[in-house]
């Protein structure tokens, strides 16, 4: 029940933001494990796997979601009693949520050091990790200003300007297409991430790549704030990040669209910024150039690699 509710909220974006989605999915699994009272270990596993699948299927791009689900579900196979299995899920979900919150705090502290007194920043969309850096810099006494974009079609920029305003940070609210007009007034771009691939490309809210390209042209540095669980292990094996395309009615009202039979709305929710437009990715484990994404995947999400090796061994045996 709680899993279905959470899944619906993630789909409709009532719950949004890659980190928050991951924590809410972990919490849904935790509650689900608590609520399964009937059955044995086998049926518990089956129930939990069903719930994991439902949650992962909600939004395809933010890799924080499958990574979080994987972390909570890992160890379920090895559990020997139903109670062990239940306790394991609950414990790992709590651990994930706590470590995610700590990660966001650490990133804020690390990221703030890259912001200088007097800087004007630009952010796109609404990222708790990116905003954490900006707010931490402000709290440490640095005088900063922020340009925040509107973020069509879902207007996440409105959430961003409210947060910045509440923190007492001087903010300029601009439409997405005004970034190039103002980029020469900007010292540093800070954005979040939904996924980071092994070649250091960053998948984030649609428009991020235009912002980064514009910044690159103007020689303005681009900093990405991303927890390690936003790195995508399977990109090592060539798996591509699926870019979610949402309904056209988020962009153009149905009653208008109906009068325009030759017009189709395209509404990708994310885009890919290549590594060469990114100067630094700030994680809770420290800042690194995007080209070092593999190290994070290997050291923090090694499970993906192990799984691949297992599969590979099986495949070679088949070939013999
Ligand atoms: P945090 C969001 O996606 C935005 O693309 C944002 O930059 C990213 O998640 C990371 O957000 P959406 O859910 O985890 O608005 O840093 O589609 O909050």
């Amino acid at each position: 029940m709680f899993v279905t509710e959470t899944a619906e909220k993630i789909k409709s974006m009532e719950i949004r933001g890659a980190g928050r989605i991951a924590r809410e999915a972990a919490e849904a699994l935790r509650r689900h494990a608590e609520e399964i009272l009937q059955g044995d270990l086998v049926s518990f596993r089956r129930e939990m796997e069903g719930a994991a699948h439902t949650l992962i299927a909600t939004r395809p791009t933010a890799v924080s979601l499958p990574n979080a689900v994987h972390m909570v579900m890992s160890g379920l196979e090895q559990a020997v009693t139903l109670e062990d299995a239940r306790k394991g899920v609950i414990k790992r979900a709590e651990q994930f949520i706590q470590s995610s919150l700590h990660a966001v705090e650490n990133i804020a502290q690390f990221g703030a050091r890259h912001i200088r007194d007097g800087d004007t920043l630009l952010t796109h969309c609404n990222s708790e990790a990116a905003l954490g850096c900006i707010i931490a810099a402000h709290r440490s006494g640095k005088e900063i200003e922020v340009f925040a974009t509107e973020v069509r079609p879902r207007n996440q920029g409105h959430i961003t300007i409210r947060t910045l305003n509440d923190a007492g940070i001087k903010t300029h609210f601009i439409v997405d297409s005004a970034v190039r007009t103002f980029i020469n007034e900007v010292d540093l771009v800070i954005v979040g991430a939904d996924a980071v691939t092994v070649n250091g490309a960053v998948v984030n809210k649609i428009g991020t790549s235009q912002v980064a390209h514009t910044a690159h042209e103007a020689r303005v540095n681009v900093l990405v704030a991303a927890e390690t669980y936003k790195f995508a292990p399977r990109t090592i094996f060539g798996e591509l990040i699926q870019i979610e395309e949402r309904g056209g009615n988020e962009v153009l009202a149905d009653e208008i669209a109906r009068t325009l039979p030759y017009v189709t709305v395209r509404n990708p929710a994310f885009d890919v910024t290549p590594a060469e437009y990114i100067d630094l990715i700030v994680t809770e484990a420290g800042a690194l150039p995007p080209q070092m994404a593999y190290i994070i995947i290997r050291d923090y999400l090694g499970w993906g690699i192990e799984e691949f090796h297992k599969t590979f061994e099986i495949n070679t045996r088949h070939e013999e």
Side-chain angles (χ1 to χ4, degrees), residues 10 13 15-23 59 61-62 64 104 123-131 151 154 156 159 191-195 203-206 208 225-227 229-230 244 246 269-270:
I10 294 175
M13 292 177 68
I15 295 172
R16 55 148 297 279
R20 191 162 161 236
I21 288 172
R23 289 193 297 275
R59 293 192 75 191
T61 305
S64 51
V104 175
T123 192
H124 181 60
C125 201
N126 178 256
S127 154
E128 63 174 355
L131 284 178
V151 195
R154 296 294 298 244
Q156 285 96 329
I159 313 170
V191 291
D194 290 84
V203 182
N204 193 47
K205 183 54 55 196
I206 189 77
T208 303
E227 304 90 292
Y229 55 78
K230 290 177 181 164
E244 176 183 11
R246 299 184 61 87
F270 303 97

Side-chain angles (χ1 to χ4, degrees), residues 17-83:
R20 191 162 161 236
I21 288 172
R23 289 193 297 275
E24 297 276 352
E27 172 62 13
L29 289 172
R30 188 192 69 77
R31 285 206 30 187
H32 197 57
E34 268 178 0
E35 281 164 8
I36 303 171
L37 299 172
Q38 313 277 320
D40 57 10
L41 179 60
V42 175
S43 63
F44 178 82
R45 275 198 196 116
R46 206 174 33 238
E47 270 283 329
M48 290 306 301
E49 272 154 22
H53 180 79
T54 304
L55 289 163
I56 288 175
T58 51
R59 293 192 75 191
T61 305
V63 77
S64 51
L65 174 59
N67 278 348
V69 168
H70 185 94
M71 287 176 203
V72 175
M73 296 290 286
S74 69
L76 197 54
E77 278 292 304
Q78 287 77 45
V80 280
T81 68
L82 174 57
E83 268 327 292

